[in-house]
Amino acid sequence: MSRGTLFDKVWQQHTVGTLPSGQTQLFIGLHLIHEVTSPQAFAMLRERGLKVLYPQRTVATVDHIVPTDSLARPLQDSLAEEMLQALEANCREHGIPLFGIGSGRQGIVHVIAPEQGLTQPGMTIACGDSHTSTHGAFGAIAFGIGTSQVRDVLATQTLALNKLKVRKVEVNGTLAPGVYAKDVILHLIRHLGVNGGVGYAYEFAGTTIAQMSMEERMTVCNMAIEGGARCGYINPDETTFAYLKGRPFAPQGEAWETAVAWWRSLRTEVDAEYDDVVVFDAATIAPTVTWGITPGQGVAVDETLPSLEMLPESERGIAQEAYDYMGLQPGQPIRGTKVDVCFIGSCTNGRISDLREAAKVLEGRKVKPGVKAFVVPGSERVKAQAEAEGLDTIFEAAGFEWRNPGCSMCLAMNPDKLQGRQVSASSSNRNFKGRQGSAAGRTLLMSPAMVAAAAITGEVTDVRQFL
Ligand code: SF4
């Protein structure tokens, strides 16, 4: 059992009691809700005559179903309009703040909570979306939950959970130019496996992580869940505090000093004991691209695809399935794989720094004719900031479409969908079969800069040639 980690401290501080099942009843400090996983939860509350216990600890936004071109109401998709109206009505009824379209605060739930200063160190956070692990970048313990758990948190502000083991995932050294946080996490998942983190919280540490900005840390923690970990986190430090200071929901005045002292005390102790420790060298990480149907099926951009014999026995079945689905062959280079659609966005890589890196690659260059390329900023705030910096002009001059914020083609619950067997170069987090809106669509995950490079050439390209 781990001891002295931030995870242990936060878990202990939020423990309400032990349930007859042996699970911990854990208090949830912040509950983030959106239009897709909340309507049934509210309906279940209504059936039992229950109220939301802590509306002041609940914040809503709309992201999954919003169109990214026209935002005119009613939305063209009547089902999406219905979901939006249901969220608006539920928030009104229960007194829950809603960051709606046009509020200046709307966006992907895992983008807006940090940028508003709602996400803070030492918190427990829950949201009905798998990538809630993102908030761990601040030293919060954050869980993605299902609809029945959304109901539980609305009604009781607690969750029944099994305590996790803690694995320290240390990455040391300086990343080479053209290698980004996305490459780090794709590399880690490739080597630890998509199920390697089952039963664990991942504590990301080491000099590489320490040197990262908050946005880069969010990218890493965002995909902890893709490595099987229930959550991922990074100990809060000066970078965390500098990011939070002055944000709308961050503590202000004297409360700020008190909060920072508290946050420092939550850091993992130097003599902490972990259940497992793994160490990676940043110098071995190259721009990484997935070739298969799980985020662990990735290779460096200058590598060839693995033969089945090169893979552990347990991975050969899914690798064969991936080759059949993707239409790729063992031994072929990933570089040069043709792409039809290039998507920059999502809660993994739809933040301002992601857009800046992609724009650097695109400035003065053009999208290859025939390639559809579009950028979906992670939030209204990211969009406004990008426009203030002229990034929209760079994207549009290159041939990218400049859209409104939302989840968009990360999971294609809005009109942004792949067609048929199209191949997408995507800065999102999942490459599962059919994830981007076509049952036969194919997704290659990579960093936003790599997506920009692919848009220019129409094929998987090493972004370093453009830097
Ligand atoms: S961008 Fe994708 S992963 Fe992130 S919240 Fe939206 S659907 Fe979920």
Side-chain angles (χ1 to χ4, degrees):
M1 262 306 182
S2 60
R3 189 189 56 77
T5 64
L6 177 142
F7 178 83
D8 294 311
K9 295 183 198 181
V10 175
W11 187 274
Q12 199 181 352
Q13 285 155 3
H14 289 79
T15 295
V16 176
T18 304
L19 297 165
S21 62
Q23 290 181 299
T24 301
Q25 186 182 14
L26 200 72
F27 186 79
I28 299 300
L30 175 66
H31 188 199
L32 302 166
I33 61 171
H34 58 83
E35 75 283 15
V36 172
T37 48
S38 69
Q40 285 162 293
F42 279 110
M44 290 191 260
L45 238 59
R46 215 163 283 128
E47 275 166 26
R48 298 193 190 191
L50 296 170
K51 288 260 166 251
V52 174
L53 189 62
Y54 281 105
Q56 69 274 31
R57 290 187 176 275
T58 313
V59 174
T61 192
V62 55
D63 51 8
H64 285 62
I65 52 91
V66 287
T68 57
D69 42 13
S70 166
L71 295 174
R73 300 283 299 269
L75 300 176
Q76 269 194 345
D77 176 347
S78 57
L79 188 60
E81 178 61 33
E82 212 176 285
M83 282 172 136
L84 190 43
Q85 286 187 18
L87 183 69
E88 288 166 341
N90 286 324
C91 287
R92 258 195 316 274
E93 181 184 337
H94 294 277
I96 295 167
L98 167 63
F99 297 165
I101 295 169
S103 64
R105 295 177 164 189
Q106 177 264 339
I108 306 173
V109 64
H110 310 311
V111 176
I112 60 138
E115 73 183 10
Q116 291 296 324
L118 286 160
T119 301
Q120 295 170 17
M123 272 186 170
T124 47
I125 299 177
C127 174
D129 181 274
S130 311
H131 296 85
T132 307
S133 55
T134 310
H135 306 267
F138 291 78
I141 302 302
F143 301 104
I145 55 176
T147 295
S148 56
Q149 291 173 305
V150 173
R151 170 204 61 197
D152 295 348
V153 182
L154 288 173
T156 69
Q157 203 63 32
T158 63
L159 275 176
L161 293 167
N162 292 316
K163 193 170 181 203
L164 301 166
K165 295 185 281 183
V166 182
R167 174 179 290 147
K168 185 183 192 186
V169 181
E170 202 176 308
V171 189
N172 294 312
T174 304
L175 295 172
V179 181
Y180 303 89
K182 180 64 158 288
D183 302 303
V184 172
I185 190 63
L186 287 175
H187 181 86
L188 296 180
I189 298 170
R190 173 186 177 187
H191 291 283
L192 295 173
V194 288
N195 294 317
V198 172
Y200 281 96
Y202 276 179
E203 178 180 299
F204 297 104
T207 58
T208 313
I209 303 291
Q211 285 161 20
M212 284 184 177
S213 69
M214 286 315 296
E215 297 199 349
E216 292 171 309
R217 293 178 190 187
M218 282 188 252
T219 299
V220 171
C221 289
N222 174 275
M223 290 190 69
I225 188 79
E226 301 304 335
R230 190 74 178 79
C231 65
Y233 69 90
I234 294 168
N235 279 294
D237 60 9
E238 300 311 315
T239 305
T240 320
F241 310 145
Y243 176 96
L244 281 172
K245 196 167 172 54
R247 303 231 167 218
F249 290 87
Q252 313 284 339
E254 274 178 34
W256 171 258
E257 297 307 329
T258 312
V260 171
W262 168 242
W263 295 340
R264 281 189 212 285
S265 76
L266 298 171
R267 289 178 54 84
T268 293
E269 304 296 326
V270 280
D271 60 351
E273 286 170 18
Y274 295 91
D275 297 290
D276 192 29
V277 177
V278 288
V279 181
F280 289 84
D281 177 1
T284 63
I285 305 176
T288 300
V289 182
T290 63
W291 55 269
I293 52 174
T294 79
Q297 291 173 323
V299 286
V301 67
D302 45 14
E303 281 181 303
T304 53
L305 305 190
S307 64
L308 296 188
E309 296 70 44
M310 288 165 68
L311 298 169
E313 185 89 40
S314 60
E315 287 177 24
R316 291 181 193 165
I318 186 81
Q320 185 59 60
E321 192 180 335
Y323 280 125
D324 293 344
Y325 182 81
M326 297 296 287
L328 299 171
Q329 300 298 325
Q332 81 177 75
I334 190 71
R335 191 174 6 202
T337 305
K338 298 274 180 270
V339 302
D340 306 294
V341 175
C342 291
F343 168 62
I344 296 175
S346 85
C347 60
T348 315
N349 282 128
R351 296 184 177 79
I352 189 69
S353 54
D354 300 313
L355 273 46
R356 286 181 188 138
E357 293 302 329
K360 270 188 217 163
V361 175
L362 290 168
E363 191 153 25
R365 299 192 172 97
K366 293 278 183 208
V367 170
K368 179 154 185 173
V371 173
K372 176 188 170 68
F374 66 114
V375 192
V376 180
S379 69
E380 291 181 349
R381 193 178 154 124
V382 170
K383 183 170 189 246
Q385 174 73 30
E387 288 173 356
E389 295 178 19
L391 302 184
D392 56 326
T393 313
I394 296 172
F395 281 115
E396 288 185 323
F400 268 74
E401 294 171 35
W402 181 247
R403 301 288 191 83
N404 291 305
C407 296
S408 179
M409 206 187 269
C410 173
L411 88 168
M413 282 187 85
N414 75 346
D416 303 330
K417 298 183 195 305
L418 291 182
Q419 306 292 327
R421 294 220 355 112
Q422 279 184 324
V423 176
S424 154
S426 178
S427 73
S428 56
N429 46 48
R430 282 193 169 158
N431 53 347
F432 302 164
K433 289 178 179 177
R435 170 76 174 179
Q436 293 192 290
S438 159
R442 295 169 286 173
T443 302
L444 309 175
L445 301 175
M446 59 189 80
S447 73
M450 283 284 287
V451 175
I456 296 163
T457 59
E459 58 187 39
V460 174
T461 300
D462 190 338
V463 67
R464 292 173 292 194
Q465 77 187 57
F466 291 125
L467 297 177

